[in-house]
């Protein structure tokens, strides 16, 4: 199989390399190699099949698990070079953007052009994206049909097409995520999927206030989260340690308030243009951004901007913290700062912040925090007064107010109160008082976003000794994210009704739940790699809880970890960090492109290996070279660290083939625990510089390089000059063959109508299954391997003298109608 990344190995025998223009035609080459191959015991007999990846595929690997997936027996789609991505005429820019993203995803690994077109109907082998009137699919659902004839993706809205594309990419082999060409094939088993989300809100929160992050890190998280159908980015941009978005007319908020990060690490902020760029980037991935500037607590950066020693103007009345004058506290402490509800300056500042961020953010929500304000800082009455007023301010700027569930203390049940959303984060017993903030929210008619810290907080440690993360909500591995209550993962039954002092507080059910979110606070997370390490594989668990139906045969922890295990390779190909949780049965995968060599020595990197969590010396690789030999390969690469996953490894090996030919090789890789994976690849050994086929009239002289006779008929003598080489496969030579000082001679099958005289050969010498109508004389060979004279019919003497090593018949005796003398006496 020819692929765009087909490799050529360097020459090892001193022969001159050739350009593509001087290579023999593929038809001629096929004759040479087929004949040579047929002569070799242990080599491929018959056509060589294309290499196939051993990675498992199909709907059984999709995360989140789709609502409905039905296999279509006997159907397999293969993405081919001529495939197109076809849109219906008049498809809008959002649909075009989805198609462009699909093309950009598929092109690097396949090397295919994959044009996007809306001219004409889809034809066999195409991928079609189409909007259809289908109310049952809602805004985000899709229908995906895969048959041998093509891929048909339909949705009622562009978001549905986008999420269908995320499913399609998971149906393709994991190597499709490579940014360089891989060998394929790119197959998808026939399937019909109809899929809609359970919840409309499926979020991830990133805190860039405690540790500042540049826009590029956030965009990367958008890419990674959107692949799992996460549709909300909650961006925490203001806290005690920093204020991160420029506000026009208030330069002090970033000049002073953005100087630092936690632990006195470097600070920073975004311009409004950078913020808008991230918002638009998220929107292109059908993700809504929700900005959060936490208030009235978690506001020390704001307070220091107006009441600290660098403040100008100085507005000390905004400070209701436990320190007056305020001081920077760059630790992880909480509950010490608050803006004063009574200060008009507080509301002037917050009005500017809310107005500008709301104008820059097209989504429906604005998150104003509201958590961790102890009564020692603000009394209950002052806190409620602040929340009521802040919610009105947010609503006045056209946004739905969102806050941490403590805001349910406020008066959201009063007549005329704006609709609001409470984000539940308590890690206490949900059947007891731990669920009361959410119950109070439901009681007051609020919607709830479910983020119980002990099941969704991505900043929690994943094992007790982890240097990343905190532990106040528990040590949380994948199972804690997937199972919220015992063996259940149902947000809709997590908080039951409870009676307190004769009052029954309502249960929090699906009717009340807007969706789910995994927050990631950044006290210990300094880099994008830290963020990824904490997010994966746990964020996809939250994504599945938010998207997939609660009752589904694959909606189990056992199924989830088995499905997500296959995504480790995808993440490695993307250069994405992740934790190799011991709860996930990580796989081993291998990919090996075909090899084309103009030398018989194949040497160097043969395969890429994915083995998440295993060191290179724990991974074994064995190469079956396709010629009856099999040897271990060397596995090399960069091991992981405590907080960094290992990269892809490389299997390197060296082997010398005895003949030109096409060999069906394979590499098998095994990781600790015994999991293994194999893939085949084709090795084409073609040393010819000149190929002769058909009729050649008159004498033929083989000069420099390698002359190959591919089933040719030569009506005259053949002479090999010193330093030249001859490979004759099933050739009919109507005259003698003479070589003196040749670098190699191989006569494979066919006939010679005259004597064969081979003197002083310095390289490989093979005469096998040839009819020689005259003497066969081999003298003075000086090579690394013994001359092979096997299975020939010789009509004259067989003479061998002065050869080093002595000739051999390889166990296949010759038929000689004359004496066999010298070193050939027993052949």
């Amino acid at each position: 199989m020819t692929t765009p990344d087909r490799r050529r190995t360097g020459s090892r025998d001193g022969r001159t390399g050739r350009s593509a223009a001087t290579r023999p035609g593929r038809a001629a080459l096929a004759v040479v190699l087929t004949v040579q191959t047929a002569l070799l015991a242990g080599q491929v007999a018959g056509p060589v099949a294309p290499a196939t990846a051993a990675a498992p595929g199909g709907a059984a690997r999709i995360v989140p698990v789709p609502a409905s997936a039905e296999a279509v027996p006997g159907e397999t789609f293969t993405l081919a070079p001529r495939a197109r991505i076809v849109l219906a005429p008049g498809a809008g820019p959002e649909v075009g953007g989805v198609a462009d993203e699909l093309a950009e995803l598929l092109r690097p690994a396949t090397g295919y052009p994959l044009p996007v077109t809306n001219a004409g109907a889809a034809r066999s082998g195409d991928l079609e994206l189409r909007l259809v009137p289908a109310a049952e699919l809602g805004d985000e659902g899709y229908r995906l049909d895969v048959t041998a004839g093509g891929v048909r993706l339909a949705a009622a809205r562009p978001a549905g097409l986008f999420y269908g594309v995320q499913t399609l990419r998971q149906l393709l082999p994991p190597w499709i995520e490579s940014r360089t060409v891989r060998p394929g094939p790119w197959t998808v088993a026939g399937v019909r999927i109809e899929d809609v989300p359970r919840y409309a809100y499926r979020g991830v929160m990133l805190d860039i206030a405690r540790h500042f992050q540049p826009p590029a890190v956030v965009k990367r998280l958008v890419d990674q989260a959107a692949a799992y159908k996460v549709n909300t980015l909650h961006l925490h941009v203001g806290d005690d340690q920093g204020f991160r978005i420029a506000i026009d007319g208030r330069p002090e908020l970033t000049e002073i308030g953005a100087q630092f990060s936690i632990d006195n690490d470097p600070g920073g902020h975004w311009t409004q243009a950078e913020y808008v760029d991230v918002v638009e980037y998220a929107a292109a991935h059908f993700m809504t951004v929700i900005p959060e500037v936490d208030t009235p607590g978690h506001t020390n950066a704001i307070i220091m901007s107006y009441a600290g020693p660098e403040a100008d103007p100085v507005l000390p009345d905004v400070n209701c913290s436990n320190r007056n004058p305020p001081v920077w506290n760059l630790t992880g402490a909480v509950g010490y700062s608050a803006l004063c509800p009574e200060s008009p300056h507080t509301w002037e500042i917050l009005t500017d912040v809310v107005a500008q961020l709301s104008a820059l953010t097209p989504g429906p929500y604005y998150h104003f925090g509201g958590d961790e304000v102890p009564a020692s800082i603000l009394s209950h009455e002052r806190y409620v007064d602040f929340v009521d007023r802040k919610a009105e301010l947010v609503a006045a700027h056209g946004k739905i107010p969102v806050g941490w569930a403590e805001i349910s203390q406020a008066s959201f049940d009063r007549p005329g109160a704006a609709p609001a959303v409470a984000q539940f984060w308590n890690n206490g017993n949900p059947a007891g008082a731990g669920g009361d903030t959410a119950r109070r929210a439901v009681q007051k008619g609020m919607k709830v976003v479910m983020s119980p810290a002990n099941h969704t907080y991505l900043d929690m440690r994943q094992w007790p000794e982890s240097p990343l993360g905190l532990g106040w909500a528990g040590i949380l591995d994948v199972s804690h994210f997937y199972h919220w209550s015992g063996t259940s993962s149902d947000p809709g039954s997590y908080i039951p009704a409870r009676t307190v002092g004769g009052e029954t507080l309502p249960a929090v059910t699906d009717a009340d739940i807007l969706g789910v979110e995994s927050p990631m606070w950044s006290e210990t997370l300094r880099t994008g790699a830290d963020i990824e390490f904490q997010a994966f594989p746990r964020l996809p668990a939250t994504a599945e809880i938010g998207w997939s139906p609660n009752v589904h045969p694959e909606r189990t922890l056992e199924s989830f970890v088995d499905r997500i295990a296959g995504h480790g390779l995808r993440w490695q190909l993307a250069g994405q960090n992740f934790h190799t949780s011991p709860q996930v049965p990580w796989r081993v995968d291998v990919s090996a492109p075909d090899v084309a060599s103009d030398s018989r020595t194949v040497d160097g990197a043969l395969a890429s290996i994915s083995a998440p969590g295993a060191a290179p010396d724990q991974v074994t690789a064995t190469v079956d070279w396709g010629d009856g030999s099999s040897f271990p390969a060397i596995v090399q690469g960069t091991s992981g660290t405590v907080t960094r996953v290992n990269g892809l490894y490389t299997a390197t090996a060296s082997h010398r083939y005895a003949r030109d030919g096409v060999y069906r090789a394979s590499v098998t890789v095994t990781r600790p625990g015994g999991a293994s994976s194999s893939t085949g690849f084709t090795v084409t050994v073609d040393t010819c510089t000149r190929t002769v086929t058909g009729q050649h009239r008159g004498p033929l002289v083989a000069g420099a390089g390698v002359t190959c006779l591919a089933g040719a008929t030569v009506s005259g003598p053949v002479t090999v000059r010193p330093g030249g080489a001859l490979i004759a496969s099933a050739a009919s030579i109507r005259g003698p063959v003479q070589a003196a000082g040749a670098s190699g001679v191989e006569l494979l099958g066919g006939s010679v109508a005259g004597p064969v005289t081979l003197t002083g050969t310095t390289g490989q010498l093979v005469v096998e299954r040839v009819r020689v109508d005259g003497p066969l004389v081999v003298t003075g060979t000086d090579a690394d391997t013994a001359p092979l004279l096997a299975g020939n019919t010789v009509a004259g003497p067989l003479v061998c003298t002065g050869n080093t090593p002595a000739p051999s018949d390889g166990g296949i005796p010759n038929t000689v109608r004359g004496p066999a003398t010298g070193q050939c006496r027993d052949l």
Side-chain angles (χ1 to χ4, degrees):
M1 182 178 69
T2 302
T3 63
D5 69 337
R6 188 170 180 173
R7 300 166 297 171
R8 303 198 61 83
T9 63
S11 175
R12 285 296 191 90
D13 54 9
R15 296 171 183 154
T16 304
R18 288 85 69 190
S19 69
T22 63
R23 306 293 295 162
R26 289 197 60 82
L29 176 61
V31 174
V32 177
L33 300 182
T34 299
V35 172
Q36 292 172 357
T37 297
L39 292 168
L40 302 177
Q43 293 183 20
V44 176
V48 176
T52 56
R61 297 291 172 256
I62 301 173
V63 177
V65 65
S68 171
E70 181 181 353
V72 181
E75 296 283 332
T76 299
F77 170 74
T78 300
L79 184 65
R82 294 189 53 166
R84 304 175 303 160
I85 299 173
V86 179
L87 310 180
E94 282 190 300
V95 174
V98 173
D100 289 340
E101 179 160 315
L102 175 59
E104 290 167 8
L105 169 72
L106 300 180
R107 285 170 183 153
T110 63
Y112 302 160
L114 291 167
V116 176
T117 179
N118 60 1
R123 61 195 184 203
S124 181
D126 285 344
L127 299 88
E128 181 183 26
L129 278 62
R130 181 178 292 271
L131 294 180
V132 297
E136 69 277 10
L137 296 178
D139 289 340
E140 297 181 304
Y142 63 92
R143 188 178 296 121
L144 178 64
D145 289 283
V146 179
T147 66
V151 173
R152 305 293 178 259
L153 176 59
R157 304 283 297 163
L161 294 177
F162 178 81
Y163 294 129
V165 164
Q166 308 317 309
T167 294
L168 176 60
R169 69 191 287 188
Q170 293 185 25
L171 289 171
L172 284 158
W175 295 97
I176 197 67
E177 304 291 341
S178 175
R179 298 299 86 191
T180 58
V181 173
R182 299 284 178 173
W186 307 109
T187 59
V188 180
V191 68
R192 178 177 175 82
I193 294 174
E194 188 161 319
D195 200 11
V196 294
R198 179 181 183 186
Y199 293 121
Y201 183 116
R202 305 173 304 279
V204 60
M205 188 212 83
L206 181 61
D207 169 17
I208 67 168
R210 288 184 172 86
H211 266 117
F212 173 72
Q213 298 295 339
V217 168
V218 180
K219 287 182 175 181
R220 185 168 165 89
L221 181 62
V222 167
D223 290 336
Q224 294 161 350
Y228 294 93
K229 303 181 176 69
V230 171
N231 69 353
T232 304
L233 173 64
H234 171 183
L235 202 55
H236 186 79
V237 300
D239 212 296
D240 288 321
Q241 296 82 4
F243 189 94
R244 304 304 182 195
I245 308 296
I247 300 298
D248 290 344
R250 296 194 174 274
E252 56 275 3
L253 281 173
T254 47
E255 290 176 0
I256 299 172
Q259 297 177 83
F260 309 107
S261 289
I262 199 169
D263 298 331
N264 205 25
D265 285 341
H269 73 278
W270 297 359
T271 65
Q272 290 194 1
E274 288 174 318
Y275 175 76
V276 169
D277 181 54
V278 169
V279 169
E280 291 177 347
Y281 188 85
H285 294 74
F286 296 89
M287 189 176 291
T288 298
V289 172
I290 302 176
E292 180 195 352
V293 175
D294 207 344
T295 54
H298 291 274
T299 47
N300 201 45
I302 297 176
I303 292 167
M304 292 300 293
S305 300
Y306 290 100
E310 300 175 88
D312 182 19
V314 180
L315 306 174
D317 59 331
V318 302
N319 179 27
C320 277
S321 300
N322 64 358
R323 298 288 294 271
N324 193 7
V327 296
W328 281 108
N329 183 340
L330 300 177
T331 72
V334 299
Y336 63 86
S337 65
L339 291 167
C340 293
E342 301 82 10
S343 167
H345 294 121
T346 290
W347 295 104
E348 289 170 5
I349 296 165
L350 294 182
T351 296
D352 288 344
V353 171
V354 171
Q356 292 185 38
L357 288 181
S358 295
L360 297 172
T361 312
Y365 302 108
Y366 182 99
H367 201 304
F368 66 88
D371 61 321
E372 295 181 321
V373 184
S376 60
I377 298 295
L378 292 182
S379 68
H380 172 74
E381 292 75 16
R382 295 176 75 200
Y383 172 82
V384 168
D385 178 65
F386 181 95
V387 171
D388 286 345
R389 188 168 177 180
K390 186 65 180 287
E392 291 174 355
L393 173 64
V394 170
H397 285 86
K399 302 299 182 184
I400 298 171
V402 184
W404 301 102
E406 290 96 318
I407 69 170
S408 63
Q409 301 172 60
S411 308
F412 289 102
D413 55 347
R414 71 186 187 281
V421 177
Q423 186 166 1
F424 174 75
W425 64 279
N426 195 290
N427 64 310
N429 177 12
D436 282 352
T437 54
R439 294 186 184 96
R440 293 288 182 190
V442 170
Q443 189 180 51
K444 295 180 180 182
M446 303 171 75
K447 291 293 184 182
V448 177
V449 171
M450 296 292 285
S451 298
N454 51 335
H455 298 294
T456 66
Y457 269 37
L458 294 166
D459 54 302
M460 292 298 106
R461 292 190 192 101
Q462 300 178 80
W463 73 96
E465 299 80 20
S466 174
L468 296 179
L470 305 175
W472 59 265
I475 306 301
L476 309 182
D477 208 333
V478 176
S479 60
H480 301 90
F481 270 64
Y482 206 87
H483 283 162
W484 286 21
S485 298
T487 59
S488 169
S489 52
D490 179 19
S493 61
Y494 185 67
I495 302 177
R498 183 170 100 94
T499 300
V500 182
E503 178 189 17
T504 298
L505 298 177
V508 180
T509 68
D510 270 356
D512 312 304
I513 294 173
L514 194 62
V516 297
E517 178 182 294
S518 273
M520 180 149 32
W521 305 101
S522 64
E523 286 93 335
T524 68
L525 311 181
R526 291 177 167 82
T527 67
D530 292 345
I531 290 166
E532 293 167 3
F533 188 81
Q534 291 296 105
F536 295 91
R538 297 183 299 178
L539 178 59
T542 300
E544 179 152 303
I545 288 171
W547 178 278
S548 303
N550 186 51
V551 179
H552 188 287
E554 298 300 321
R555 189 61 166 73
T556 66
L557 175 63
E558 294 73 22
S559 172
F560 174 78
V561 296
D562 186 61
R563 284 179 282 119
I564 204 66
H567 292 229
L569 168 57
R570 298 177 184 273
W571 300 337
Q572 287 181 310
L573 287 165
Q576 177 180 321
N577 199 20
F578 61 99
H579 171 48
T580 52
S581 165
Q583 296 184 348
V584 177
W586 301 105
R587 307 192 198 291
V588 60
D589 291 276
V590 59
S591 173
D594 294 344
V595 177
S597 178
D598 57 10
S599 163
R600 289 184 179 175
T601 297
V602 176
D603 185 35
L606 291 177
S608 297
I609 299 169
S610 168
D617 60 1
Q618 296 176 308
V619 179
T620 62
T622 301
V623 181
D624 181 336
W625 290 101
D627 62 353
S629 62
S630 179
F631 299 101
I634 298 171
V635 178
Q636 298 172 309
T638 302
S639 297
T641 67
V642 173
T643 59
R644 297 292 185 272
V645 71
N646 57 288
L648 293 174
Y649 297 143
T650 300
T652 61
S654 179
H655 182 64
R656 182 167 181 81
Y657 286 98
R659 307 277 201 283
D660 282 20
V662 179
Y663 300 86
R664 190 73 182 111
S666 65
V667 57
T668 299
V669 181
T670 304
R671 62 169 295 143
S676 65
S677 178
S678 297
T679 191
F681 61 101
T682 299
V683 180
T684 302
V685 179
D686 169 24
T687 60
C688 303
T689 56
R690 174 192 179 196
T691 298
V692 178
T693 60
Q695 296 284 335
H696 179 86
R697 298 185 182 279
L700 185 146
V701 177
V706 180
T707 298
C708 294
L709 308 182
T713 298
V714 180
S715 60
V718 173
T719 302
V720 185
R721 288 178 175 170
L726 174 70
I727 300 176
S729 304
S732 175
I733 301 172
R734 295 171 183 171
V737 173
Q738 183 173 359
S743 62
V745 176
E746 297 178 27
L747 305 179
L748 308 172
S751 62
V752 178
V756 175
T757 306
L758 309 176
T759 304
T761 306
T762 60
Q764 182 148 309
L765 190 158
V766 178
V767 182
E768 186 172 4
R769 295 189 171 92
V770 180
R771 190 181 77 247
V772 180
D773 295 336
L776 173 56
V777 179
V778 178
T779 62
T781 303
D782 187 3
D784 293 337
T785 58
L788 179 66
L789 309 177
N792 302 292
T793 300
V794 181
L798 176 59
V799 179
C800 302
T801 60
N803 299 289
T804 306
S808 165
D809 65 6
I812 306 174
N814 299 279
T815 301
V816 182
R817 300 189 184 120
T821 64
Q823 293 170 311
C824 293
R825 180 170 297 136
D826 298 324
L827 303 185

